Amino acid sequence: MKAGIVGLPNVGKSTLFNCLSNAKAQSANFPFCTIEPNIGVVNVPDPRLQKLEAIVKPERVMPATVEIVDIAGLVKGASKGEGLGNKFLANIRETDAIIHVLRCFDNDNIVHVDTTINPIRDKETIDYELQIKDLESVEKRIERVKKAAKTGDKNAQKEWEILELVKSGLESAKSVRILDIDEKDRLAFVKPLQLLTDKPVLYVCNVDEASAKNGNAYVAQVKELVKNENAEVIVLAVATEADITELETFEERQMFLEDLGLIEAGASKLIRSAYKLLNLQTYFTAGVKEVRAWTINIGDTAPQAAGVIHTDFERGFIRAEVMHYEDYVTLGSELKVKEAGKFGIEGKEYVVKDGDIMNFRFNV
């Protein structure tokens, strides 16, 4: 599962990517510094792993991960091929969610592609380009569906109806994700098109150091603008986060954060938010060889969770032995969880909960 970092050129995307992934993508004070997308595999911060490690004392600990992609900046006219438009839009289509970086700070030494600082205009520029590209995709699909619909095909008629709603929304400058469409119809007729504005989005307001804790007037404008989008807004001083990642020890980083009035690095909060944005959750396996966080979709069943470890586990699934994280940490061992009657034996229909500690029985 991938989350793509997008935004206008020179708003801090590559610097943010480096903070998250330590992959050291090039970042510089000029547009189109990034051309080919940079990809980093990022560990998901999870304090539960440390508690499990303290109890189990394994040989190694493996956190959950998520892929973050740093995508080239977009300019007006990208949907018509301006700048790196076609490449940019193709790269977004390959991601599962969008991290949209907005510049929310003044600094005359850092150029802005549109000369002035205005995150509302910047957001609308990118929204417009994505919406225009989606409109092209929807209109092409409508032309195909119309022919079948006119022959009396009921499914095609329903698809035509839904796509006309989508088209109307896009023509009114509304992103597909906010349109009021029945979830069943959305899954059947909209999701297969992989529309750019249907992807879930997380807005990152890139601020100066002084605004890292409480934001600023630019951030307030962004929050007001997106309040009906069902999207999260995170405030992050990206340049400051970059400085924090350069510090050698955990203690130094914590002292830096405390001086700013922050509890944790914003990058950690962003990674967790991206994980949630991708509709992901974590279950654990815990043994002396390894304590590991496994990534699954919210709503996955026990066999599906087993399949993340190995396809044979899902194919030959018999049962899952389940302990809830809070029970295990509170009671301190598997034996005590069993003695307390909180050790579950679950079958194929069991829907895994975030934080479940699981062991699978299978036969192939």
Side-chain angles (χ1 to χ4, degrees), residues 98-101 200-204 231-234 270 273-274 277:
I98 293 172
I99 300 171
H100 187 162
V101 181
V201 64
L202 169 69
Y203 294 101
V204 177
E232 188 173 354
V233 177
I234 286 181
L270 189 152
S273 295
L277 189 70

Side-chain angles (χ1 to χ4, degrees), residues 27-242:
S27 58
N29 187 22
F30 57 85
F32 302 119
C33 175
T34 301
I35 297 178
E36 294 300 325
N38 299 298
I39 300 175
V41 178
V42 182
N43 291 338
V44 179
D46 194 332
R48 295 175 297 185
L49 278 172
Q50 283 71 52
K51 290 189 177 181
L52 291 175
E53 182 181 15
I55 294 171
V56 179
K57 296 179 175 56
E59 293 177 13
R60 65 175 183 170
V61 176
M62 298 291 289
T65 61
V66 63
E67 274 193 4
I68 302 291
V69 186
D70 176 27
I71 296 171
L74 171 120
V75 293
K76 291 176 184 176
S79 57
K80 305 301 179 186
E82 290 295 322
L84 298 169
N86 290 327
K87 178 184 286 289
F88 172 93
L89 295 165
N91 291 334
I92 295 178
R93 199 175 300 283
E94 294 172 4
T95 66
D96 303 290
I98 293 172
I99 300 171
H100 187 162
V101 181
L102 295 165
R103 178 170 169 177
C104 295
F105 66 90
D106 296 301
N107 187 330
D108 292 339
N109 295 320
I110 301 177
V111 298
H112 189 289
V113 70
D114 288 328
T115 69
T116 58
I117 309 305
N118 185 335
I120 304 305
R121 176 204 58 211
D122 295 353
K123 176 187 178 303
E124 289 173 348
T125 295
I126 287 193
D127 284 350
Y128 175 79
E129 298 300 333
L130 301 187
Q131 288 160 4
I132 291 297
K133 204 66 179 178
D134 279 351
L135 190 56
E136 290 178 12
S137 300
V138 170
E139 286 175 339
K140 286 178 183 176
R141 181 62 187 169
I142 286 174
E143 285 305 308
R144 295 194 195 100
V145 171
K146 250 198 304 193
K147 295 175 183 177
K150 288 179 177 179
T151 66
D153 185 319
K154 297 293 185 185
N155 193 62
Q157 289 172 351
K158 182 64 177 177
E159 183 176 358
W160 187 10
E161 176 189 332
I162 297 301
L163 292 181
E164 286 291 347
L165 284 174
V166 173
K167 179 184 174 186
S168 177
L170 289 167
E171 289 173 337
S172 301
K174 294 179 180 177
S175 293
V176 177
R177 75 178 73 86
I178 69 171
L179 298 180
D180 185 16
I181 300 172
D182 179 80
E183 191 60 29
K184 184 178 178 182
D185 291 334
R186 186 180 286 273
L187 286 171
F189 306 124
V190 181
K191 290 294 182 186
L193 297 179
Q194 291 185 290
L195 299 175
L196 303 173
T197 66
D198 192 34
K199 298 178 186 295
V201 64
L202 169 69
Y203 294 101
V204 177
C205 292
N206 182 11
V207 300
D208 54 24
E209 185 174 303
S211 305
K213 184 178 180 182
N214 298 315
N216 55 29
Y218 293 132
V219 173
Q221 291 171 13
V222 172
K223 287 182 175 179
E224 178 64 24
L225 183 67
V226 306
K227 66 182 181 182
N228 296 322
E229 282 194 35
N230 192 30
E232 188 173 354
V233 177
I234 286 181
V235 178
L236 209 62
V238 174
T240 303
E241 294 283 335

